[in-house]
Amino acid sequence: MSLEEVAKRAGVSTATVSRVLNNLEIVRPATKARVLKAIAELNYQPNLHARTLAGGRSNTIGMIASNLENPFFFDVFRSLEAQARSHGYEVVVAHTDYDSERLVRSVRLMIGRRVAGLAVVVSEMDPALIKELHAARTPCVFYDVGKPQERMTNIRVNYRHGIERLVEYLHDLGHSRFAFVGHHSTLAPTSERESAFLASVKRFAPAVEWRTDADRDSFEGGKLAALRVLASGFSPTAFICVNDIMAVGVLRALREKGLRVPEDVSVTGFDNVRLAEFSEPPLTSVHIPRDEIGRLAFAALIPDKELPNIAGQEIVIEPEVVLRASTARAKR
Amino acid sequence: MSLEEVAKRAGVSTATVSRVLNNLEIVRPATKARVLKAIAELNYQPNLHARTLAGGRSNTIGMIASNLENPFFFDVFRSLEAQARSHGYEVVVAHTDYDSERLVRSVRLMIGRRVAGLAVVVSEMDPALIKELHAARTPCVFYDVGKPQERMTNIRVNYRHGIERLVEYLHDLGHSRFAFVGHHSTLAPTSERESAFLASVKRFAPAVEWRTDADRDSFEGGKLAALRVLASGFSPTAFICVNDIMAVGVLRALREKGLRVPEDVSVTGFDNVRLAEFSEPPLTSVHIPRDEIGRLAFAALIPDKELPNIAGQEIVIEPEVVLRASTARAKR
DNA sequence: TTGAAAGCGCTACCAG
DNA sequence: CTGGTAGCGCTTTCAA
């Protein structure tokens, strides 16, 4: 099923069919109707590869995420996709599962697809890969990695502030022993959160004790990390978790150990995904506006003449603490 | 950056470059090395569209899901993708959000991409769309919709048995007033689950009362449905939910109404996703093997000479009840 | 307003 | 083992 068959059936040239397909308004209505009829009768679907190749431009946007299973990433995807769709673009997602090999593969695949733009929402990224993207002239937007440059936009969250506010709040409630639960502690945003945690603890509570532990980015990972902290003999008054998913795992671990939240121990999440409201108890968290991130990402990749152009810039988002029932005054 | 430039730089023909790209073992090692060097120096990435177009075959598999945010779908995706990757295929996912317009768009897009195969994991599907897929000669595998035919495989779960076992179990515990919480009750699998629910209730407990309610497939949806049931004046001894996500929403609603689970009311989920173990209380659920579904889907699309060929068949999966803490003997 | 034809970048067949 | 070259299905000038 090709353009040519449609053209033959409609008694026109392939050029005309192409014009109809692309809605070029220079086709006589009668001709257009005939072509449309042929298309419908033949159940014709244009070959996107041929189209992209001949046209020299793609209308698909790529997105690469570390862990689409974590609703944080999914929410960004959803928002980006909504923007894309309303502007006539498609988005293709790849999920790397925090695996750098898969990241490399995904990036190359996106370059091979000659995507119109690429949103990279991963924890860590080899600068060499960014170079490849730059060499391929792919417009990119990075979340939390890289530096702004030509064709490369940056969106980041001021974790430091988010964590500072959390620690300050807990400190005010009388907490004095903190545990920090992250994942793959070597990863950039995690470690930024971790270092922000350490800095905050020192600043607001120089005399307090703390401990950190990390595992996979999942419920299970949060649970294991918490169990390890507890097994080490340290008994924190508060667990600060790198995200809400891990916090839910921590809640389970505490419950299994017979500790009540927030009566005995306080727990905080991060990101403020929907689950934070539905966990038991609901989680005090730090809101990161995924919708806005998705919108900004699209705007950075496909600038709109109407809106201010943010391509090539660095955008910093200020997070906000959301109080719920998982935190309370520390037991004395 | 094209094949030709690489060829020029390596001092060979484009045909030879193509051969080394495709690992055809008939290239002299020395030549191959030169080509590889040129590729690396130029940072060349082959244009996938040109490749697919010229080769006449794609190595990407498509998957369309109703709601990738629900871990059930994501787990199937993950499993399918693992299979695909290990066989040299890529997978492109689309998420329709239960919107039939988006389903149509996604299907056409996949046809336009000339995917090697398409896995459709949605709740409902217009037979006309299946016809389009058939006309496009796209190998397909459907989960819970359609009928097996040429190039079309079917995977389904025996919901009836799953629900029957759940109802029987609850009935044995003395439950007598059931509520069924679903989403978009008009959708096929939901309604299959709903009708299975009704049939089971009548069979195991002909004298009991029941009520059904439905909403969006999300935490919020489950919560709203439960609140509606309660507001109607009906007070069930057990809530049977169409999946674990909605069950978590139900748990929240019950807690807000001051009802304890399982002391006052029992709640069951379905699918047995990871969250079922991490909710509070952990959910009694019905296990659906997403891994197996993903593996079967791949096998149906890309038959392996070694394995038995399941393409064109109908495969029925038997679910199994998993008991956890959200169910208990009914209050008298 | 329409058609003819030259590519887009790659694969695959046929020679050599 | 390597090169030449005819397409793959579409878009896009350039003419008509």
Side-chain angles (χ1 to χ4, degrees):
Chain A
M1 188 58 44
S2 72
L3 242 200
E4 198 168 347
E5 301 178 51
V6 176
K8 212 172 296 169
R9 182 171 190 113
V12 298
S13 72
T14 59
T16 297
V17 179
S18 174
R19 289 182 188 114
V20 171
L21 241 35
N22 293 287
N23 249 309
L24 299 191
E25 292 304 340
I26 50 169
V27 183
R28 194 166 13 123
T31 313
K32 184 169 177 177
R34 253 186 311 142
V35 172
L36 255 18
K37 182 153 166 286
I39 288 178
E41 289 171 354
L42 293 174
N43 221 289
Y44 168 72
Q45 297 289 346
N47 182 317
L48 258 26
H49 302 293
R51 224 201 242 260
T52 309
L53 184 59
R57 55 193 144 59
S58 159
N59 66 326
T60 112
I61 285 181
M63 167 168 171
I64 301 181
S66 296
N67 182 10
L68 266 186
E69 189 174 17
N70 183 323
F72 171 82
F73 295 93
F74 190 80
D75 288 347
V76 172
F77 164 68
R78 194 210 310 272
S79 165
L80 174 64
E81 207 214 10
Q83 288 298 309
R85 257 185 321 125
S86 72
H87 290 255
Y89 287 81
E90 302 299 332
V91 9
V92 168
V93 247
H95 151 92
T96 67
D97 201 16
Y98 294 105
D99 178 333
S100 60
E101 299 280 332
R102 286 176 69 174
L103 213 203
V104 173
R105 265 180 69 93
S106 297
V107 166
R108 302 232 167 107
L109 203 61
M110 294 296 182
I111 294 177
R113 287 199 178 106
R114 302 294 190 267
V115 291
L118 179 63
V120 182
V121 189
V122 301
S123 299
E124 179 184 39
M125 187 143 176
D126 183 347
L129 256 190
I130 299 190
K131 284 225 179 61
E132 281 189 37
L133 247 5
H134 194 263
R137 325 206 81 237
T138 307
C140 293
V141 53
F142 298 96
Y143 176 74
D144 272 352
V145 284
K147 301 182 187 28
Q149 53 181 306
E150 193 197 4
R151 269 179 272 112
M152 308 260 150
T153 312
N154 249 267
I155 300 177
R156 47 182 14 118
V157 163
N158 196 336
Y159 289 122
R160 193 159 301 273
H161 284 181
I163 295 279
E164 264 176 13
R165 288 172 195 165
L166 227 35
V167 173
E168 184 174 9
Y169 161 70
L170 290 168
H171 181 243
D172 287 351
L173 287 178
H175 288 274
S176 55
R177 294 191 303 282
F178 296 94
F180 181 82
V181 171
H183 57 84
H184 318 258
S185 51
T186 53
L187 302 183
T190 303
S191 62
E192 186 183 335
R193 294 190 196 191
E194 180 168 329
S195 69
F197 163 75
L198 296 180
S200 299
V201 164
K202 284 180 193 135
R203 176 166 162 210
F204 291 106
V208 305
E209 299 175 66
W210 50 267
R211 188 75 50 103
T212 68
D213 203 342
D215 210 289
R216 284 157 297 151
D217 179 22
S218 62
F219 297 130
E220 197 68 29
K223 175 176 169 181
L224 292 176
L227 290 178
R228 230 162 17 225
V229 166
L230 261 19
S232 77
F234 182 61
S235 61
T237 59
F239 279 85
I240 293 184
C241 306
V242 79
N243 65 40
D244 299 323
I245 301 302
M246 296 195 78
V248 168
V250 169
L251 290 179
R252 159 73 46 232
L254 296 175
R255 198 168 284 112
E256 287 185 3
K257 288 298 176 189
L259 293 164
R260 291 163 309 162
V261 176
E263 293 82 353
D264 302 323
V265 189
S266 285
V267 174
T268 65
F270 210 102
D271 291 345
N272 192 32
V273 298
R274 218 62 211 277
L275 179 59
E277 301 170 44
F278 284 87
S279 70
E280 176 54 31
L283 288 168
T284 287
S285 189
V286 176
H287 185 71
I288 307 287
R290 286 89 63 193
D291 275 10
E292 192 184 346
I293 293 174
R295 278 197 303 273
L296 287 169
F298 182 78
L301 297 178
I302 315 288
D304 186 319
K305 332 95 228 7
E306 314 292 308
L307 276 41
N309 187 346
I310 59 170
Q313 295 183 202
E314 172 169 59
I315 301 190
V316 177
I317 290 176
E318 286 297 326
E320 232 165 276
V321 174
V322 178
L323 300 182
R324 294 207 184 82
S326 67
T327 48
R329 182 156 290 284
K331 250 174 139 170
R332 304 187 321 105
Chain B
M1 188 58 44
S2 72
L3 242 200
E4 198 168 347
E5 300 178 51
V6 176
K8 211 172 297 169
R9 182 172 190 112
V12 298
S13 72
T14 60
T16 297
V17 178
S18 174
R19 287 184 189 111
V20 342
L21 238 37
N22 293 287
N23 249 310
L24 300 190
E25 293 304 342
I26 49 168
V27 182
R28 197 176 1 134
T31 313
K32 183 168 177 177
R34 251 185 313 140
V35 173
L36 254 17
K37 182 153 166 286
I39 287 178
E41 289 170 355
L42 292 174
N43 220 287
Y44 168 72
Q45 297 288 346
N47 182 316
L48 258 26
H49 302 294
R51 224 202 244 258
T52 310
L53 186 58
R57 55 190 146 59
S58 159
N59 67 327
T60 112
I61 285 180
M63 167 168 171
I64 302 180
S66 297
N67 182 12
L68 265 186
E69 190 174 16
N70 183 323
F72 171 80
F73 295 94
F74 190 80
D75 288 347
V76 173
F77 164 67
R78 194 211 310 273
S79 165
L80 174 63
E81 208 214 9
Q83 288 298 307
R85 257 185 321 124
S86 73
H87 290 255
Y89 287 80
E90 304 297 332
V91 10
V92 168
V93 246
H95 151 93
T96 67
D97 202 17
Y98 294 104
D99 178 335
S100 60
E101 299 281 330
R102 286 176 69 175
L103 212 204
V104 172
R105 265 182 69 94
S106 297
V107 166
R108 302 231 169 107
L109 202 61
M110 293 297 183
I111 293 177
R113 288 200 178 107
R114 303 295 190 267
V115 291
L118 179 64
V120 182
V121 189
V122 300
S123 300
E124 180 184 40
M125 187 141 176
D126 184 348
L129 257 190
I130 299 190
K131 283 226 181 63
E132 281 190 37
L133 246 7
H134 193 262
R137 326 206 80 236
T138 306
C140 293
V141 54
F142 298 96
Y143 176 74
D144 273 350
V145 284
K147 301 181 186 31
Q149 54 182 304
E150 193 197 4
R151 267 177 275 111
M152 308 261 150
T153 312
N154 249 266
I155 300 177
R156 46 183 14 118
V157 164
N158 196 337
Y159 290 123
R160 193 160 300 274
H161 285 180
I163 295 279
E164 264 176 14
R165 288 171 195 166
L166 226 37
V167 173
E168 183 173 9
Y169 160 70
L170 291 168
H171 180 244
D172 287 350
L173 288 178
H175 288 274
S176 56
R177 293 191 304 281
F178 297 94
F180 180 81
V181 171
H183 57 85
H184 319 256
S185 52
T186 54
L187 303 182
T190 303
S191 62
E192 185 181 337
R193 294 189 196 192
E194 179 168 330
S195 70
F197 163 76
L198 295 181
S200 299
V201 164
K202 286 181 193 134
R203 176 166 162 209
F204 291 106
V208 306
E209 298 176 67
W210 50 268
R211 187 76 48 105
T212 69
D213 204 343
D215 213 292
R216 283 159 296 151
D217 180 21
S218 63
F219 297 130
E220 198 67 29
K223 176 177 169 180
L224 292 176
L227 290 177
R228 226 160 22 221
V229 167
L230 261 20
S232 76
F234 182 60
S235 61
T237 58
F239 280 84
I240 293 185
C241 305
V242 80
N243 65 40
D244 299 323
I245 301 301
M246 296 195 80
V248 168
V250 169
L251 290 179
R252 159 72 46 232
L254 296 176
R255 199 168 283 114
E256 286 184 6
K257 288 298 175 186
L259 293 165
R260 291 164 307 162
V261 175
E263 294 82 353
D264 301 324
V265 189
S266 285
V267 174
T268 64
F270 210 103
D271 290 345
N272 192 33
V273 298
R274 219 61 211 278
L275 179 58
E277 301 169 44
F278 285 86
S279 70
E280 176 55 30
L283 288 168
T284 287
S285 190
V286 177
H287 185 71
I288 307 287
R290 287 89 63 193
D291 276 10
E292 191 184 346
I293 292 173
R295 277 197 303 274
L296 287 169
F298 182 79
L301 297 178
I302 316 288
D304 186 319
K305 330 99 227 4
E306 314 293 307
L307 276 42
N309 187 346
I310 59 170
Q313 298 184 198
E314 171 169 58
I315 302 191
V316 177
I317 291 175
E318 285 297 326
E320 232 164 276
V321 173
V322 178
L323 300 183
R324 295 207 184 82
S326 66
T327 47
R329 184 155 289 283
K331 252 173 136 170
R332 304 188 319 104

